[in-house]
Amino acid sequence: MAEINFFSRLANLWAGFVSLWITDVEKRHPEIAYQNAIDSMIEKYTRLKSATAAIIRRRQDLELRMKSEEGELASVAADLEGAMATGQDDLAVVLIQKKNALDASIAILKGDLTQAQTDAEEAKDSLLQVKNEIEKLKAEKDRMLAQMQSAQARVKIQNQLEG
């Protein structure tokens, strides 16, 4: 047990040293920190894009199922009219049961489709929001690096004038 604790503490110590070293490097080279943040946002955007595509596919699948079941319902309704017109009561009972099942299935599909449409719109909005955040971060990086270079140039000129 003590050995596990020792190695755990040693790993934490090493991670702390690495973290401090990375922090020092990022202070000297802020473009690294910006690029890491941009890369992280791009990775998030890629994952969100895949999730959005899956949500949109689900919505499309539900739309296809809805159209299919509505077409089948129209066919069953026409068959039911024919069965009732020709006095085929046994067939009419079966068709009524099938019609009721299709009505219930369509009602459930309508709810699922409404939710899928909402989810798809929210996912698209999130995707656009992350894309805008990436663009803002890139612009901020460029602006801040330009300000830093300008400040460094001013300090260098001031040092030359004083020296």
Side-chain angles (χ1 to χ4, degrees), residues 40-157:
S40 173
M41 292 297 289
I42 289 172
E43 183 180 324
K44 178 180 178 181
Y45 178 80
T46 302
R47 287 192 313 268
L48 188 57
K49 193 174 177 181
S50 295
T52 301
I55 291 169
I56 290 171
R57 275 193 306 274
R58 180 178 177 338
R59 182 195 66 196
Q60 290 170 339
D61 289 346
L62 287 170
E63 287 171 347
L64 288 173
R65 284 181 48 203
M66 181 78 136
K67 286 180 184 177
S68 173
E69 293 208 6
E70 286 175 339
E72 189 175 345
L73 179 62
S75 175
V76 167
D79 291 345
L80 179 59
E81 289 292 324
M84 289 173 42
T86 58
Q88 298 174 343
D89 293 340
D90 293 342
L91 179 59
V93 169
V94 171
L95 290 172
I96 288 171
Q97 290 172 345
K98 188 169 185 178
K99 181 184 176 299
N100 290 340
L102 284 169
D103 284 336
S105 177
I106 288 172
I108 291 170
L109 278 174
K110 281 183 182 178
D112 290 348
L113 185 57
T114 300
Q115 184 61 48
Q117 288 168 335
T118 302
D119 292 346
E121 289 305 314
E122 288 175 1
K124 286 179 191 177
D125 291 343
S126 295
L127 199 57
L128 289 174
Q129 184 179 6
V130 170
K131 187 175 183 179
N132 288 337
E133 287 177 27
I134 291 169
E135 294 305 317
K136 284 180 188 176
L137 196 53
K138 286 179 179 179
E140 180 183 337
K141 173 189 169 189
D142 293 342
R143 188 178 68 252
M144 293 310 246
L145 290 177
Q147 286 178 353
M148 184 182 77
Q149 289 172 350
S150 177
Q152 288 172 341
R154 281 194 306 272
V155 167
K156 188 176 181 181
I157 290 170

Side-chain angles (χ1 to χ4, degrees), residues 27-47:
K27 283 180 184 175
R28 284 178 282 169
H29 303 284
E31 65 272 9
I32 293 172
Y34 273 109
Q35 193 58 48
N36 286 339
I38 290 168
D39 291 345
S40 173
M41 292 297 289
I42 289 172
E43 183 180 324
K44 178 180 178 181
Y45 178 80
T46 302
R47 287 192 313 268

